[in-house]
Amino acid sequence: MSFEPTPLLDMSSPEAKRASYDTLLAQTQAILHGERDRIANLAQFAALVYNSVPTLNWAGFYLVNPTNDRELVLGPFQGKVACVRISFDRGVCGAAARTGEVQLVEDVHAFPGHIACDAASRSELVVPVIANGRLQAVFDLDSPEPARFDAQDAAGFSAALAALINGTDWA
């Protein structure tokens, strides 16, 4: 398969973001077409997001550890070397895993228990990945810009992740 994502998506206004998230959803569906492997799809999605969404310094997945369902283990990602294991009771990813809710953090330094894998990160968005009725992973986005993410970003990434969830075998 040959696929070339758009250059950087335009996130400069609410209207531009809306159109950009429509594009991201279409691109997600395109990269998933004909492939259902979990690791392949997570890797492709992380690469797509990292290379097409502006002002990110990390994009990737933490998977629920199959031998300890209260711990996340590093999965496919793009960016600097990252923390490998995160307990559900630590950091923004742990909070998303523990609560099953999107975590939108404007200033990671103000978040109690934040885990600083990359000191350059200033804001974070973490979306739980729930498939087959259970938490499978979290999708983590970091930015060097404070307050980089908003509710529109959370909704846009949630929609793209829904396509990923539906197009992937989780067994």
Side-chain angles (χ1 to χ4, degrees):
M1 171 188 83
S2 176
F3 179 82
E4 190 65 35
T6 58
L8 288 179
L9 296 171
D10 182 1
M11 302 291 185
S12 62
S13 71
E15 298 77 24
K17 271 189 181 186
R18 195 175 314 47
S20 290
Y21 282 118
D22 288 345
T23 299
L24 181 65
L25 177 58
Q27 290 178 335
T28 299
Q29 293 165 332
I31 63 171
L32 297 175
H33 183 74
E35 183 57 63
R36 297 199 55 88
D37 182 82
R38 179 178 65 123
I39 298 300
N41 287 351
L42 298 180
Q44 290 284 65
F45 185 78
L48 172 66
V49 168
Y50 188 77
N51 288 292
S52 61
V53 176
T55 61
L56 298 179
N57 61 333
W58 204 89
F61 292 91
Y62 280 94
L63 308 173
V64 174
N65 183 342
T67 62
N68 176 358
D69 66 0
R70 302 297 296 166
E71 179 183 66
L72 299 167
V73 178
L74 182 64
F77 74 95
Q78 298 281 305
K80 289 184 177 182
V81 172
C83 304
V84 175
R85 296 180 185 273
I86 299 174
S87 172
F88 279 25
D89 63 357
R90 295 196 57 227
V92 181
C93 289
R98 184 176 62 255
T99 65
E101 297 174 358
V102 171
Q103 300 294 306
L104 181 60
V105 180
E106 292 185 353
D107 178 4
V108 295
H109 301 296
F111 189 90
H114 173 255
I115 302 167
C117 297
D118 181 352
S121 293
R122 299 287 308 278
S123 59
E124 190 167 1
L125 173 64
V126 182
V127 181
V129 176
I130 299 171
N132 300 331
R134 65 183 282 264
L135 179 72
Q136 303 286 337
V138 298
F139 183 61
D140 182 20
L141 295 158
D142 293 350
S143 174
E145 288 186 4
R148 159 61 181 87
F149 307 106
D150 61 20
Q152 191 175 10
D153 296 304
F157 283 112
S158 293
L161 284 164
L164 174 73
I165 291 165
N166 292 330
T168 301
D169 291 332
W170 295 93

